Amino acid sequence: MIGLFLGDTDFSDIVLNKIKRLKKKYFIIDFSRNNKFQEDKNSFRISIGKFGSIINLIKQKKCKKVLFAGKIAKPNFSSLRLDLKGIYYMPSVIRAAKIGDAAIIKSIIKILKNEEIKVISSIFFNPELSLKKGNLSKLKPNKKDLISIKKAKAYFNKTKSLDHVQAIVVKDGKILAREGREGTKKMLSKLKKNSDGILIKLPKKKQDLRMDLPTIGIQTFIDIKKYGLRGVVLQSRKNIFLDKIKCIKFANKNKIFINII
């Protein structure tokens, strides 16, 4: 039995569908904004403030392992109804929320560990969504691009593990844009057309790889073309790559490189 903390985004659906194909026993704790999984008979809608109910459900199901998949939105703490364990644990979640969304999940993982519940990697059942080193596209980065990529790696090595930045745009060794809380799409929308930069999406140096892995899919590639970027750089085994075949085909057609470091 596996417990799934599912939020919004296509990644949640992909994980769930894979588990169904593998015929694994599962249950869902639905943390999506609009009760996305309500039609699934194994789905439970439980407020983040009801830690007692969440933990009791996990233990009733005799579940030892859970995973997180999809974006879990920051709750409205002032409107949360808390049970006893919620009252006990919520101050640590509120403190984490001031740091960022990743910190919220990190705090929940710590709470689950305290209750002897193990959190496994979000791609445990979907290793095909991660990548091996190499170039996936026909076009490869040139010497100037490699200098920019080196600059970006140095930047991510300095970021904190709970920082919300998972993407930057670089050109000629200079950072043109940094991702904010709104995400990659919003960052790209602030670029000038034909920016000729490179999108770098990497995990932080000490990022917890059980959750919130940098994700890319076809919509990102559409935006890359729209703003005239040269390519995208991802991390081997530490990114989630959705629509892989479609993305590679799109990249080759539009002369965009995909480099995995």
Side-chain angles (χ1 to χ4, degrees), residues 57-71:
L57 173 63
I58 293 170
K59 292 184 176 179
Q60 284 170 13
K61 296 288 185 180
K62 297 181 180 179
C63 174
K64 296 291 185 181
K65 296 178 181 179
V66 299
L67 67 76
F68 288 80
K71 185 174 178 59

Side-chain angles (χ1 to χ4, degrees), residues 6-9 12 31-33 69-73 101 105 181:
L6 300 184
D8 299 297
T9 75
S12 299
F31 274 179
S32 66
R33 289 185 180 275
K71 185 174 178 59
I72 295 176
D101 293 345
I105 304 177
R181 292 181 185 274

Side-chain angles (χ1 to χ4, degrees), residues 29-31 44-54 75 79-83 90:
I29 298 174
D30 186 351
F31 274 179
F44 299 84
R45 184 75 167 179
I46 306 176
S47 164
I48 196 173
K50 303 283 188 179
F51 279 115
S53 298
I54 290 171
S79 65
L80 285 180
R81 293 184 178 182
L82 309 178
D83 57 18
M90 191 50 61

Side-chain angles (χ1 to χ4, degrees), residues 53-175:
S53 298
I54 290 171
I55 291 162
N56 286 339
L57 173 63
I58 293 170
K59 292 184 176 179
Q60 284 170 13
K61 296 288 185 180
K62 297 181 180 179
C63 174
K64 296 291 185 181
K65 296 178 181 179
V66 299
L67 67 76
F68 288 80
K71 185 174 178 59
I72 295 176
K74 179 180 177 180
N76 182 353
F77 292 108
S78 63
S79 65
L80 285 180
R81 293 184 178 182
L82 309 178
D83 57 18
L84 288 176
K85 284 201 172 180
I87 293 170
Y88 178 74
Y89 285 125
M90 191 50 61
S92 65
V93 179
I94 293 173
R95 286 194 298 272
K98 294 176 182 178
I99 301 172
D101 293 345
I104 294 175
I105 304 177
K106 185 77 171 179
S107 69
I108 296 173
I109 289 175
K110 189 174 181 180
I111 291 166
L112 293 172
K113 182 180 180 181
N114 192 54
E115 297 288 341
E116 298 182 343
I117 299 164
K118 184 178 180 180
V119 177
I120 61 176
S121 169
S122 58
I123 55 172
F124 183 86
F125 294 101
N126 297 82
E128 71 279 1
L129 297 180
S130 63
L131 306 160
K132 295 179 181 179
K133 280 187 179 181
N135 217 70
L136 299 184
S137 56
K138 293 177 182 177
L139 185 67
K140 296 181 180 180
N142 59 32
K143 289 183 179 180
K144 279 189 175 182
D145 296 331
L146 293 175
I147 293 171
S148 293
I149 291 168
K150 186 176 181 180
K151 171 83 173 182
K153 285 175 66 178
Y155 173 83
F156 280 102
N157 283 337
K158 293 178 182 178
T159 55
K160 297 178 181 179
S161 62
L162 295 175
D163 197 312
H164 53 268
V165 177
Q166 289 189 317
I168 61 175
V169 176
V170 292
K171 179 185 178 182
D172 297 331
K174 296 180 180 180
I175 298 175

